[in-house]
């Protein structure tokens, strides 16, 4: 999968940050780098998780906040075609979650046809085994989708199972901060693409709650 944003949808200069007041993610566009940088520093000094975008790219010097919050922001922006992976696949970055281990992703070949087909597909979204990106598998049957999700969990791969706009299951990161960041990125990507409407474990009452309340003004 390409990690580039869509040039047609990318704002020239913008900030993305997490809010609690009903929007979850806020994108604020600017007509100049100077104004955008000034607002970035203001939010950063308030302790907000914030990422600055420039024409579909992220400057690693303009990223601030807790890792799992930043990866959610980048995932959402990536899912909406606003940016690339930025610091998430930069060697040495504090926010890196993609690490190439030269292992090819293994395809899932299920010949089991048990179970009824649903009206809309199940999505199994995971970090690839090669560690270089994400993969979205779709299944019409619940049993096959659940089987793939369990397989990902057994392999130690961060993965979410989504159906009807809701996260139905996810791999438990078990306190591993990098896996929490990977999971946050996956949920952000699914949210950005409109595949899921809730944030699962990232919601206020979830074990990995990330929502904040920062005013951009």
């Amino acid at each position: 999968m390409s990690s580039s944003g869509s040039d047609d949808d990318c704002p020239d200069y913008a900030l993305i940050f997490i809010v609690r007041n009903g929007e979850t993610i806020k994108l604020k566009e600017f007509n100049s780098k100077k104004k955008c940088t000034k607002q970035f520093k203001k939010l950063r000094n308030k302790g907000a998780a914030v990422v600055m975008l420039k024409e579909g790219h992220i400057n690693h010097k303009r990223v601030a906040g807790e890792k799992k919050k930043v990866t959610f922001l980048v995932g959402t922006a990536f899912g909406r075609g606003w940016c690339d992976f930025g610091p998430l696949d930069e060697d040495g970055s504090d926010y890196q979650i993609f690490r190439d281990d030269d292992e090819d992703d293994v395809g899932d070949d299920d010949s089991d046809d048990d179970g009824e087909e649903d009206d809309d597909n199940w999505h199994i979204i995971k970090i690839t085994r090669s560690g270089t990106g994400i993969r979205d598998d779709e299944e019409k049957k619940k049993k096959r989708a659940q089987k793939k999700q369990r397989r990902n969990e057994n392999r130690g791969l961060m993965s979410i199972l989504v159906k009807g706009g809701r996260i139905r299951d996810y791999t438990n990161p078990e306190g591993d901060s990098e896996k929490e960041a990977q999971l946050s990125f996956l949920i952000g990507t699914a949210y950005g693409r409109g595949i899921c409407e809730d944030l699962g474990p990232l919601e206020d009452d979830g074990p990995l709650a990330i929502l904040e309340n920062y005013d951009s003004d």
Side-chain angles (χ1 to χ4, degrees), residues 13-55:
Y13 292 99
L15 298 178
I16 50 172
F17 51 97
I18 300 172
V19 295
R20 190 192 299 274
N21 59 358
E23 293 179 275
T24 306
I25 284 283
K26 185 167 184 177
L27 171 77
K28 186 169 184 179
E29 298 187 41
F30 297 84
N31 57 17
S32 74
K33 179 180 179 180
K34 183 177 180 179
K35 290 180 180 179
C36 191
T37 301
K38 182 179 180 180
Q39 192 64 51
F40 169 85
K41 292 179 179 179
K42 183 177 180 180
L43 283 166
R44 180 192 61 189
N45 292 340
K46 288 182 178 181
V50 57
V51 175
M52 181 173 167
L53 307 179
K54 178 187 176 183
E55 298 176 346

Side-chain angles (χ1 to χ4, degrees), residues 123-171:
H123 292 262
I124 310 97
I125 306 173
K126 67 178 181 179
I127 299 289
T128 59
R129 288 174 66 87
S130 65
T132 57
I134 60 174
R135 176 173 168 178
D136 179 6
D137 288 330
E138 293 187 45
E139 288 290 345
K140 292 183 178 181
K141 297 180 179 179
K142 179 178 180 180
K143 285 188 176 181
R144 292 183 66 172
Q146 291 177 328
K147 184 178 180 180
K148 285 187 176 183
Q149 175 64 23
R150 287 193 299 269
R151 183 178 296 152
N152 290 336
E153 292 174 356
N154 292 337
R155 291 173 178 169
L157 299 176
M158 290 298 101
S159 176
I160 59 174
L161 180 64
V162 183
K163 172 72 163 61
R166 293 180 53 210
I167 296 174
R168 305 303 180 99
D169 196 9
Y170 62 91
T171 305

